[in-house]
Amino acid sequence: MNIKTAYMGEVEINEESILNFDHGIPGFEEEKQFVLLPIEENSIFQILQSVQTEDLAFIITSPFGVISNYNFDLDEATVHSLEIKDEKEVAVFAIVSLKETLEKSSVNLKAPIVLNSTLKKAKQVILDNENYAIRHQISFESVKG
């Protein structure tokens, strides 16, 4: 199937790659289906593109590349709703807020996107952890990888 995207024009996607957000993303509750699109080969950034709305897309990255000791416990409600059976099937992403330069950009570590990569079920989780900020500045060192 083909979809229109915010950054890449019209692209063909495999319907099996669609990620289902049962409750949408906070602020976009009607948007239930997204796909991950690579920005370029070997990039640490990807695009989380709405299948339904062309203009709705988020730049995402691994929060573990931003800070090495990033960790949190998932609550039982999230484990149950995403039908997670094994932590190996879990992927975690953070939404990036791009500014004029990468050094001025930030990443949301307070509300990661948790994905059951086996079942393609995802949810944005709000962490009850004061150590993580909504606007954590991306350091140049973390981007270099």
Side-chain angles (χ1 to χ4, degrees):
M1 96 187 252
N2 287 351
I3 64 169
K4 293 181 179 177
T5 68
Y7 301 110
M8 305 171 87
E10 187 169 320
V11 298
E12 183 176 351
I13 62 166
N14 182 337
E15 290 185 42
E16 294 177 6
S17 68
I18 294 175
L19 310 178
N20 294 293
F21 289 72
D22 288 348
H23 304 287
I25 291 178
F28 304 96
E29 286 77 11
E30 303 81 28
E31 301 285 340
K32 311 267 190 217
Q33 295 186 314
F34 289 82
V35 290
L36 290 175
L37 301 173
I39 292 179
E40 60 185 43
E41 193 172 323
N42 296 326
S43 173
I44 62 170
F45 300 105
Q46 297 181 72
I47 300 170
L48 182 66
Q49 171 68 52
S50 168
V51 172
Q52 178 181 340
T53 304
E54 176 181 352
D55 293 334
L56 183 60
F58 302 96
I59 305 297
I60 62 171
T61 192
S62 168
F64 306 104
V66 177
I67 57 172
S68 60
N69 60 350
Y70 185 74
N71 68 68
F72 59 90
D73 292 324
L74 280 178
D75 60 63
E76 282 301 315
T78 300
V79 171
H80 180 73
S81 69
L82 297 180
E83 301 179 51
I84 295 169
K85 305 286 188 231
D86 188 325
E87 68 181 54
K88 293 177 183 170
E89 62 190 4
V90 176
V92 179
F93 301 98
I95 295 176
V96 177
S97 177
L98 289 176
K99 303 296 181 200
E100 296 169 5
T101 65
L102 203 51
E103 289 78 15
K104 292 181 181 176
S105 299
S106 62
V107 61
N108 183 346
L109 297 177
K110 184 81 171 173
I113 292 173
V114 178
L115 166 68
N116 178 332
S117 58
T118 303
L119 299 178
K120 306 295 184 200
K121 295 182 76 167
K123 179 179 182 180
Q124 187 173 23
V125 178
I126 312 297
L127 300 179
D128 185 24
N129 184 330
E130 297 303 318
N131 295 327
Y132 301 128
I134 292 173
R135 292 181 189 88
H136 180 91
Q137 190 168 0
I138 299 174
S139 72
F140 184 71
E141 288 298 319
S142 65
V143 174
K144 285 176 27 181

